[in-house]
């Protein structure tokens, strides 16, 4: 199989002119996520691409497309935004991709207590994280959307101030009704 294993290997002129790719940030069951830079808008982004071993699996391709559409439909400060999405045809395969908000902070289980904090200060940070996550999920559920795989790896903490982390939920899955 001679398909793309990295965004650089796509050789798509439109994508190659606009995006430059960095290191792989994480993997999901259906995709790999790379750090990238959007030269047109001069901002850091993430680039998500179907996993190479799934290019011959129509169900996996459809699930990734549905996952991208689900995330793109949500608009909340606690959810990583999708900026662009599409499909590249490569060696007879459809490769769905998405460009989204750069969320490079640690996952919630990797977040470490900043040094020098009292127990009360630490408790305040933890409660802020819990409040943000609850508000994000309340919004999500009010739209009729479920995450499908919410856990420590899909809750990221961003922001420039370690005493005020900002919650970002990533990697939404397809919706149950779409799977019927």
């Amino acid at each position: 199989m001679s398909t793309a294993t990295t965004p650089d290997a796509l050789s798509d002129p439109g994508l190659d002119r606009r995006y430059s790719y960095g290191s792989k940030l994480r993997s999901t069951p259906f995709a790999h996520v790379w750090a990238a830079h959007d030269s047109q808008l001069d901002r850091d982004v993430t680039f998500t691409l179907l996993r190479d071993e799934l290019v011959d699996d129509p169900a996996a391709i459809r699930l990734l497309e549905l996952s991208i559409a689900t995330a793109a439909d949500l608009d909340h400060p606690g959810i990583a935004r999708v900026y662009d999405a599409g499909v590249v045809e490569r060696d007879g395969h459809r490769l769905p991709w998405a460009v989204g908000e750069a969320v490079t902070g640690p996952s919630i289980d990797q977040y470490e207590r900043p040094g020098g904090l009292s127990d009360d200060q630490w408790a305040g940070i933890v409660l802020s994280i819990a409040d943000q996550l609850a508000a994000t999920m309340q919004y999500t559920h009010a739209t009729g959307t479920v995450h499908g795989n919410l856990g420590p790896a899909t809750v990221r903490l961003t922001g420039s101030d370690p005493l005020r982390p900002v919650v970002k939920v990533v990697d939404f899955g397809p919706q149950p009704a779409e799977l019927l």
Side-chain angles (χ1 to χ4, degrees), residues 84-105:
D84 196 8
V87 175
V88 172
E89 298 288 334
R90 172 76 180 211
D91 297 332
H93 299 283
R94 295 179 69 242
L95 300 171
W97 58 268
V99 173
E101 181 178 0
V103 180
T104 56

Side-chain angles (χ1 to χ4, degrees), residues 1-4 50 52 54-57 61 87-96:
M1 172 182 351
S2 60
T3 57
L50 181 72
D52 193 47
L54 299 175
V55 298
D56 291 318
D57 185 341
I61 293 167
V87 175
V88 172
E89 298 288 334
R90 172 76 180 211
D91 297 332
H93 299 283
R94 295 179 69 242
L95 300 171

Side-chain angles (χ1 to χ4, degrees), residues 11-69:
S11 299
D12 180 273
L15 293 175
D16 290 345
R17 276 193 304 273
R18 183 162 182 181
Y19 302 107
S20 57
Y21 310 105
S23 61
K24 188 186 320 181
L25 299 173
R26 64 184 181 279
S27 295
T28 73
F30 296 105
H32 297 297
V33 181
W34 282 269
H37 185 78
D38 180 339
S39 61
Q40 183 175 331
L41 298 176
D42 193 24
R43 66 178 169 193
D44 291 331
V45 294
T46 57
F47 189 90
T48 301
L49 181 65
L50 181 72
R51 294 174 74 108
D52 193 47
E53 64 268 25
L54 299 175
V55 298
D56 291 318
D57 185 341
I61 293 167
R62 184 69 181 137
L63 288 171
L64 180 58
E65 290 172 333
L66 290 170
S67 297
I68 292 168

Side-chain angles (χ1 to χ4, degrees), residues 72-135:
D73 287 343
L74 299 171
D75 183 19
H76 186 274
I79 297 171
R81 293 177 296 180
V82 175
Y83 298 135
D84 196 8
V87 175
V88 172
E89 298 288 334
R90 172 76 180 211
D91 297 332
H93 299 283
R94 295 179 69 242
L95 300 171
W97 58 268
V99 173
E101 181 178 0
V103 180
T104 56
S107 61
I108 199 166
D109 61 339
Q110 297 169 331
Y111 182 67
E112 296 183 10
R113 178 179 180 162
L117 294 181
S118 70
D119 288 343
D120 286 345
Q121 290 170 315
W122 176 238
I125 291 171
V126 171
L127 286 174
S128 171
I129 292 169
D131 284 345
Q132 290 177 67
L133 181 56

